[in-house]
Amino acid sequence: MSETATATGLRLVPVTPENFDAAVAVKVRRDQEHLVAPVMKSLAQAYVYGASAWPRLILDGDRVVGFLMAFLDVDWTQGAGATPDLRSGLWRLNIGQSEQQRGHGRFAVEEVAAEIRRRGGTRMFVSYHPGPAGPQDFYLRLGFQETGETTGGQSIAVRDLT
């Protein structure tokens, strides 16, 4: 998979042996640690889930500013005989504590949306911890709408990509 770049210098790159240490060094603010799993857990899950997981570092020039992991074509079908429900979306978003409020999160969301569109998807899902310290307002500003569903105590929202 080729890396993604913008005129601003922001780009996504795969996590490799060469940048692994920089990836696991990405830390969110202390008050956000309960809202998102650490990068190390995400990378372990990416290994276990294989092709369904899409982990990427977010770079600004050559500086690591964050990490994201998308999920692609995961089967959310509930119960026997139910209509198949394949979903794709943003699984994790970790923006470094000193890199927040600079547009890196918005960039990451838009890049995941572009990847889902590239693969033929028309909807993008995200889950997040609700509450005043959580990222709900951020996702709603980016066009997500809550579905009323929850998973693991997190609210699920969806964004139309058409």
Side-chain angles (χ1 to χ4, degrees), residues 2-40:
S2 64
E3 60 186 48
T4 307
T6 69
T8 64
L10 290 174
R11 60 192 172 112
L12 299 182
V13 297
V15 178
T16 65
E18 293 76 27
N19 63 26
F20 173 82
D21 288 334
V24 298
V26 173
K27 305 287 186 230
V28 296
R29 291 190 333 246
R30 185 168 242 196
D31 64 317
Q32 297 170 328
E33 289 175 348
H34 69 287
L35 299 172
V36 63
V39 173
M40 184 67 83

Side-chain angles (χ1 to χ4, degrees), residues 82-146:
T83 304
D85 186 12
L86 291 180
R87 294 184 180 187
S88 297
L90 183 61
W91 190 350
R92 297 275 162 60
L93 179 58
N94 305 60
I95 302 298
Q97 58 188 347
S98 63
E99 301 293 343
Q100 297 183 13
Q101 302 295 316
R102 297 182 183 180
H104 304 317
R106 177 180 295 272
F107 167 79
V109 169
E110 296 306 330
E111 289 301 300
V112 171
E115 181 64 19
I116 292 169
R117 279 189 202 101
R118 188 184 74 71
R119 293 170 181 244
T122 59
R123 300 180 304 163
M124 177 179 175
F125 289 84
V126 67
S127 64
Y128 49 83
H129 288 282
Q136 177 181 16
D137 290 342
F138 169 74
Y139 290 119
L140 295 178
R141 281 192 309 270
L142 293 178
F144 286 89
Q145 297 180 346
E146 292 185 335

